[in-house]
Amino acid sequence: GVNITSVSNGKEALELLRQDPDFELILMDIMMPVMDGIEATGRVRNIEAYRETPIIALTAINSAEDLNKCLRAGASEYLTKPIAFDKLLAILRICLY
């Protein structure tokens, strides 16, 4: 019952989100080409339809500094790679229900 849409970088994500205001959750990779996930997350928060939408930051860097950057940009949650499926499901349950 879940529809998934994937893009290659933050710029494409913003273009897609501006066209479609109906996404219920965003998984945002932090290390992307063209526009990284930190900048993209901040810009997503400036789109009225997505001010409250959960954004889960995904990153390979596990540091307090990286976590703080994600949260300051507007991420709701933070997961490190490799993603533990049970942790992802727990966060999805919290964010969506």
Side-chain angles (χ1 to χ4, degrees):
V2 176
N3 294 319
I4 298 172
T5 303
S6 177
V7 295
S8 299
N9 60 63
K11 183 179 177 192
E12 289 178 12
L14 286 170
E15 290 169 2
L16 178 65
L17 293 171
R18 285 187 180 115
Q19 294 171 14
D20 186 351
D22 293 328
F23 286 93
E24 295 179 45
L25 183 128
I26 299 165
L27 295 174
M28 183 70 74
D29 192 353
I30 296 306
M31 300 182 108
M32 294 184 289
V34 182
M35 179 187 298
D36 68 29
I38 298 289
E39 183 177 350
T41 296
R43 290 187 182 199
V44 168
R45 290 298 185 213
N46 288 324
I47 300 171
E48 181 67 34
Y50 292 106
R51 292 227 168 102
E52 302 298 323
T53 302
I55 299 175
I56 302 170
L58 308 174
T59 183
I61 301 170
N62 187 8
S63 72
E65 180 181 341
D66 199 46
L67 168 61
N68 287 329
K69 282 182 186 178
C70 293
L71 296 176
R72 280 194 309 268
S76 311
E77 296 287 342
Y78 176 93
L79 283 172
T80 56
K81 297 176 190 175
I83 303 300
F85 189 68
D86 58 329
K87 287 183 181 179
L88 175 59
L89 283 179
I91 289 175
L92 291 175
R93 283 186 188 110
I94 292 166
C95 290
L96 294 174
Y97 305 107

